[in-house]
mmCIF file of all heavy atoms in Angstrom:
data_model
loop_
_atom_site.group_PDB
_atom_site.id
_atom_site.type_symbol
_atom_site.label_atom_id
_atom_site.label_comp_id
_atom_site.label_asym_id
_atom_site.label_seq_id
_atom_site.Cartn_x
_atom_site.Cartn_y
_atom_site.Cartn_z
ATOM 1 N N LYS A 22 26.803 3.391 58.418
ATOM 2 C CA LYS A 22 26.032 3.760 57.205
ATOM 3 C C LYS A 22 24.689 2.963 57.165
ATOM 4 O O LYS A 22 23.701 3.565 56.480
ATOM 5 C CB LYS A 22 26.830 3.525 56.014
ATOM 6 C CG LYS A 22 27.605 4.800 55.421
ATOM 7 C CD LYS A 22 27.975 4.505 54.068
ATOM 8 C CE LYS A 22 29.486 4.857 53.829
ATOM 9 N NZ LYS A 22 29.992 4.402 52.597
ATOM 10 N N TYR A 24 22.782 2.327 59.478
ATOM 11 C CA TYR A 24 21.784 2.758 60.427
ATOM 12 C C TYR A 24 21.531 4.219 60.320
ATOM 13 O O TYR A 24 20.344 4.637 60.591
ATOM 14 C CB TYR A 24 22.266 2.396 61.809
ATOM 15 C CG TYR A 24 22.321 0.965 62.090
ATOM 16 C CD1 TYR A 24 23.471 0.196 61.793
ATOM 17 C CD2 TYR A 24 21.284 0.279 62.570
ATOM 18 C CE1 TYR A 24 23.531 -1.149 62.097
ATOM 19 C CE2 TYR A 24 21.240 -1.066 62.766
ATOM 20 C CZ TYR A 24 22.450 -1.873 62.513
ATOM 21 O OH TYR A 24 22.447 -3.180 62.814
ATOM 22 N N GLU A 36 17.409 9.920 63.310
ATOM 23 C CA GLU A 36 16.321 9.286 64.086
ATOM 24 C C GLU A 36 16.776 7.839 64.100
ATOM 25 O O GLU A 36 16.956 7.231 63.115
ATOM 26 C CB GLU A 36 15.022 9.427 63.429
ATOM 27 C CG GLU A 36 14.090 10.606 63.719
ATOM 28 C CD GLU A 36 13.804 10.908 65.159
ATOM 29 O OE1 GLU A 36 13.208 10.067 65.739
ATOM 30 O OE2 GLU A 36 14.015 12.028 65.591
ATOM 31 N N PHE A 82 22.780 15.550 53.709
ATOM 32 C CA PHE A 82 21.559 15.960 54.371
ATOM 33 C C PHE A 82 20.567 14.837 54.235
ATOM 34 O O PHE A 82 20.641 13.935 53.434
ATOM 35 C CB PHE A 82 20.979 17.216 53.613
ATOM 36 C CG PHE A 82 21.143 17.113 52.165
ATOM 37 C CD1 PHE A 82 20.109 16.600 51.463
ATOM 38 C CD2 PHE A 82 22.250 17.682 51.496
ATOM 39 C CE1 PHE A 82 20.158 16.436 50.076
ATOM 40 C CE2 PHE A 82 22.327 17.554 50.080
ATOM 41 C CZ PHE A 82 21.309 16.916 49.390
ATOM 42 N N ASP A 83 19.581 14.810 55.235
ATOM 43 C CA ASP A 83 18.638 13.851 55.251
ATOM 44 C C ASP A 83 17.362 14.279 54.644
ATOM 45 O O ASP A 83 16.881 15.277 55.179
ATOM 46 C CB ASP A 83 18.401 13.523 56.769
ATOM 47 C CG ASP A 83 17.645 12.229 56.922
ATOM 48 O OD1 ASP A 83 17.716 11.364 55.948
ATOM 49 O OD2 ASP A 83 17.123 11.982 57.917
ATOM 50 N N GLU A 84 17.099 13.815 53.531
ATOM 51 C CA GLU A 84 15.798 14.347 52.794
ATOM 52 C C GLU A 84 14.925 13.304 52.348
ATOM 53 O O GLU A 84 15.388 12.141 52.083
ATOM 54 C CB GLU A 84 16.377 15.212 51.596
ATOM 55 C CG GLU A 84 15.936 16.665 51.724
ATOM 56 C CD GLU A 84 15.425 17.244 50.403
ATOM 57 O OE1 GLU A 84 16.188 17.210 49.440
ATOM 58 O OE2 GLU A 84 14.226 17.621 50.560
ATOM 59 N N LEU A 85 13.680 13.691 52.245
ATOM 60 C CA LEU A 85 12.684 12.769 51.771
ATOM 61 C C LEU A 85 12.915 12.440 50.270
ATOM 62 O O LEU A 85 12.554 11.282 49.780
ATOM 63 C CB LEU A 85 11.378 13.309 51.939
ATOM 64 C CG LEU A 85 10.128 12.595 51.928
ATOM 65 C CD1 LEU A 85 10.180 11.595 53.030
ATOM 66 C CD2 LEU A 85 8.888 13.502 52.310
ATOM 67 N N LEU A 87 14.970 12.369 46.487
ATOM 68 C CA LEU A 87 16.292 12.268 46.024
ATOM 69 C C LEU A 87 16.171 12.706 44.584
ATOM 70 O O LEU A 87 15.292 12.406 43.788
ATOM 71 C CB LEU A 87 16.831 10.793 46.091
ATOM 72 C CG LEU A 87 17.290 10.446 47.456
ATOM 73 C CD1 LEU A 87 17.658 8.927 47.327
ATOM 74 C CD2 LEU A 87 18.469 11.165 47.818
ATOM 75 N N LYS B 3 11.313 4.928 57.606
ATOM 76 C CA LYS B 3 11.089 6.110 56.712
ATOM 77 C C LYS B 3 10.856 5.679 55.321
ATOM 78 O O LYS B 3 11.290 4.507 54.859
ATOM 79 C CB LYS B 3 12.255 7.065 56.762
ATOM 80 C CG LYS B 3 12.124 8.042 57.896
ATOM 81 C CD LYS B 3 13.146 9.120 57.755
ATOM 82 C CE LYS B 3 14.473 8.646 58.403
ATOM 83 N NZ LYS B 3 15.472 9.624 58.604
ATOM 84 N N HIS B 5 11.469 6.868 51.235
ATOM 85 C CA HIS B 5 12.274 7.649 50.415
ATOM 86 C C HIS B 5 11.670 7.744 49.001
ATOM 87 O O HIS B 5 11.152 6.770 48.440
ATOM 88 C CB HIS B 5 13.661 7.295 50.295
ATOM 89 C CG HIS B 5 14.455 7.838 51.386
ATOM 90 N ND1 HIS B 5 15.028 9.155 51.380
ATOM 91 C CD2 HIS B 5 14.809 7.432 52.601
ATOM 92 C CE1 HIS B 5 15.688 9.396 52.585
ATOM 93 N NE2 HIS B 5 15.534 8.298 53.326
ATOM 94 N N TYR B 6 11.678 8.948 48.421
ATOM 95 C CA TYR B 6 11.022 9.158 47.177
ATOM 96 C C TYR B 6 12.160 9.557 46.203
ATOM 97 O O TYR B 6 12.866 10.508 46.355
ATOM 98 C CB TYR B 6 10.001 10.253 47.100
ATOM 99 C CG TYR B 6 8.815 9.861 48.057
ATOM 100 C CD1 TYR B 6 8.826 10.094 49.403
ATOM 101 C CD2 TYR B 6 7.711 9.405 47.411
ATOM 102 C CE1 TYR B 6 7.688 9.619 50.221
ATOM 103 C CE2 TYR B 6 6.616 9.017 48.182
ATOM 104 C CZ TYR B 6 6.649 9.154 49.547
ATOM 105 O OH TYR B 6 5.561 8.848 50.347
ATOM 106 N N PHE B 8 13.198 11.003 42.609
ATOM 107 C CA PHE B 8 12.602 11.673 41.495
ATOM 108 C C PHE B 8 13.706 11.818 40.350
ATOM 109 O O PHE B 8 13.484 11.898 39.248
ATOM 110 C CB PHE B 8 12.241 13.171 41.824
ATOM 111 C CG PHE B 8 10.622 13.143 42.396
ATOM 112 C CD1 PHE B 8 10.551 13.053 43.824
ATOM 113 C CD2 PHE B 8 9.634 13.012 41.524
ATOM 114 C CE1 PHE B 8 9.315 13.005 44.325
ATOM 115 C CE2 PHE B 8 8.358 12.896 42.146
ATOM 116 C CZ PHE B 8 8.198 12.940 43.509
ATOM 117 N N SER B 9 14.979 11.835 40.856
ATOM 118 C CA SER B 9 16.052 11.989 39.765
ATOM 119 C C SER B 9 16.346 10.684 39.107
ATOM 120 O O SER B 9 15.929 9.622 39.581
ATOM 121 C CB SER B 9 17.281 12.621 40.455
ATOM 122 O OG SER B 9 17.321 12.350 41.908
ATOM 123 N N ASP B 17 28.525 -1.351 50.561
ATOM 124 C CA ASP B 17 28.827 -1.559 52.009
ATOM 125 C C ASP B 17 27.635 -2.040 52.763
ATOM 126 O O ASP B 17 27.259 -1.526 53.777
ATOM 127 C CB ASP B 17 29.117 -0.090 52.485
ATOM 128 C CG ASP B 17 30.346 0.509 51.838
ATOM 129 O OD1 ASP B 17 31.078 -0.195 51.191
ATOM 130 O OD2 ASP B 17 30.520 1.789 51.887
ATOM 131 N N ARG B 30 24.784 9.272 47.476
ATOM 132 C CA ARG B 30 24.007 9.305 48.767
ATOM 133 C C ARG B 30 23.809 7.925 49.339
ATOM 134 O O ARG B 30 23.365 7.060 48.526
ATOM 135 C CB ARG B 30 22.704 9.858 48.529
ATOM 136 C CG ARG B 30 22.677 11.386 48.611
ATOM 137 C CD ARG B 30 22.497 11.882 49.929
ATOM 138 N NE ARG B 30 21.001 11.789 50.352
ATOM 139 C CZ ARG B 30 20.652 11.639 51.586
ATOM 140 N NH1 ARG B 30 21.470 11.512 52.546
ATOM 141 N NH2 ARG B 30 19.356 11.546 51.767
ATOM 142 N N GLN B 36 16.695 1.746 58.253
ATOM 143 C CA GLN B 36 15.727 2.776 58.539
ATOM 144 C C GLN B 36 14.505 2.973 57.499
ATOM 145 O O GLN B 36 13.674 3.736 57.641
ATOM 146 C CB GLN B 36 16.336 4.170 58.709
ATOM 147 C CG GLN B 36 17.443 4.253 59.686
ATOM 148 C CD GLN B 36 16.801 4.762 60.983
ATOM 149 O OE1 GLN B 36 15.648 4.749 61.252
ATOM 150 N NE2 GLN B 36 17.650 5.297 61.844
#
Side-chain angles (χ1 to χ4, degrees):
Chain A
K22 261 197 231 169
Y24 293 90
E36 267 307 302
F82 43 89
D83 196 20
E84 243 225 297
L85 196 59
L87 286 175
Chain B
K3 274 189 275 187
H5 272 276
Y6 296 81
F8 280 96
S9 16
D17 303 341
R30 274 269 285 150
Q36 299 266 23

